[in-house]
Amino acid sequence: MEEKLSSVAKTVTSSPIQQLSFLAESCNAINLAQGFPDFPAPTHIKEAAVSAINSDFNQYRHVQGICEHVAGIMKHLHGLDVDPLTDVVICCGQSEAFAATMIAIVNQGDEVILFDPSYESYETCITMAGGIPVYVALDPPYWTLDPDKLMKCFTARTKALVLNSPHNPTGKVFTTDELEIIAGACRDRDCLAVTDEVYEHITFDKEKHVSLASLPEMQNRTIITSSLSKTFSVTGWRIGWAIAPACVASAIRNIHIRITDCAPAPFQEAALTALRSPPEYFQLLRRDYESKRNYIVKLLASIGFRCQFAPKGSFFVFAELPESCILTDVEFVEELIKQAGVVAVPGCGFFHSDAKSSQAAFRYQRRYIRFAFCKSEATLAAAATKIGEIVDATGRLKLF
Ligand SMILES: Cc1ncc(COP(=O)(O)O)c(C=O)c1O
């Protein structure tokens, strides 16, 4: 039967992170692998969803009100003038918004620039649309952007650049200087930018998220994608959006309608309540995540991990294995599951640059572990206890 599969299907592999999540479930391990909260979603939005179902918002539906809220937020936070009627498309999460965007803008053989390491789904969407991912490495340990490396990636076939800030897996928030470099490159090379801003409200240490579209002459070449998933702890609701110049938004809308028709109707209704949440909601979200970030960074540093780069946003720590650890990232994760019953993600899954080109790159690409801290205090404390059981008398991990 396999010969019946399309050539595209053969290039799409299963997600290693989801496999690790299944493993965590099947062996009752603590899941610090996948990026979904294990604590309850906010009561006020759950009640709105229940009420929407009971009020029979259960059929195909396109709720224009969400577009108005999204446009209002863009004006308020980033000074962007977004027309809710033409420039906003509600999709099934950022994931669908991104996939539909790639179908809307990528032709066969077009190149799309990505930063390395990066979130695993982008590459699949680009290749499914017929595009070619081109990676520009961010430099560890602070994951800085080297402008020369970026400029070398542009060719006559470059169609778009993807920017995810705050960044999964590193927790980096791109600096204003870096955003200006990226914007300058996009303008000079007449290139589109596609942003993934799902962690826009999860930033720490007074760091503020700046949308690339708010830089001069960028809104007319940027497609913003984001969602409710992370901000409102509702990754299963599948409500997201794309914001783009009207003709691109129209293409994304048509593709979205042909594939899924609409995002889940009751959750679109509840999204109206979520997006109307008061400023205190967002302040508390940041404060809670900052304290979880502090907790896990301290825990990892205490057992020998090198966390020079404490995340400035998102809910991941990308920690470097202790120097004394001779295990690779994959071996370490396997041992952590077996010996401590805790699941994390080996960093190699997020790296894509041609490792053979550089021995140094090959070494660091096997040295990082991603821990998700979007978990309840009880889960984080249980993980700390389990990890504590495998440290030696000097407080260092015994896995090496
Ligand atoms: C960087 C990034 N973008 C997008 C997503 C998926 O977002 P959504 O649930 O809105 O599809 C994730 C989920 O982990 C993510 O980390």
Side-chain angles (χ1 to χ4, degrees), residues 89-105:
V89 189
I90 305 306
C91 296
C92 299
Q94 183 278 343
S95 305
E96 195 210 8
F98 187 86
T101 300
M102 289 303 125
I103 298 171
I105 63 171

Side-chain angles (χ1 to χ4, degrees), residues 35 92-96 119 122 164 166-168 196 198-199 226-230 234-235 238-240 315-316 370:
C92 299
Q94 183 278 343
S95 305
E96 195 210 8
Y119 176 54
Y122 305 139
N164 166 220
H167 183 247
N168 174 8
D196 175 352
V198 292
Y199 299 106
S226 192
S227 74
L228 291 190
S229 290
K230 316 291 179 175
V234 286
T235 57
R238 315 310 301 133
I239 303 289
F315 43 50
F316 303 108
R370 193 194 73 174

Side-chain angles (χ1 to χ4, degrees), residues 300-301 304-309 318-323 367-368:
L300 294 172
F305 271 89
R306 289 187 286 179
C307 304
Q308 300 104 307
F309 180 72
F318 205 45
E320 191 180 356
L321 284 168
E323 212 163 354
R367 301 290 300 164
Y368 284 88

Side-chain angles (χ1 to χ4, degrees), residues 193-258:
V194 182
T195 64
D196 175 352
E197 308 186 20
V198 292
Y199 299 106
E200 59 195 311
H201 294 287
I202 307 177
T203 55
F204 315 124
D205 308 328
K206 305 209 163 61
E207 196 78 44
K208 219 176 143 268
H209 168 64
V210 175
S211 183
L212 185 68
S214 67
L215 273 70
E217 293 167 57
M218 283 306 290
Q219 190 179 354
N220 64 353
R221 58 172 70 251
T222 302
I223 298 111
I224 297 171
T225 63
S226 192
S227 74
L228 291 190
S229 290
K230 316 291 179 175
T231 307
F232 295 98
S233 307
V234 286
T235 57
W237 281 16
R238 315 310 301 133
I239 303 289
W241 48 85
I243 305 167
C247 79
V248 181
S250 163
I252 296 171
R253 188 175 301 108
N254 291 339
I255 292 161
H256 157 70
I257 289 172
R258 296 292 175 174

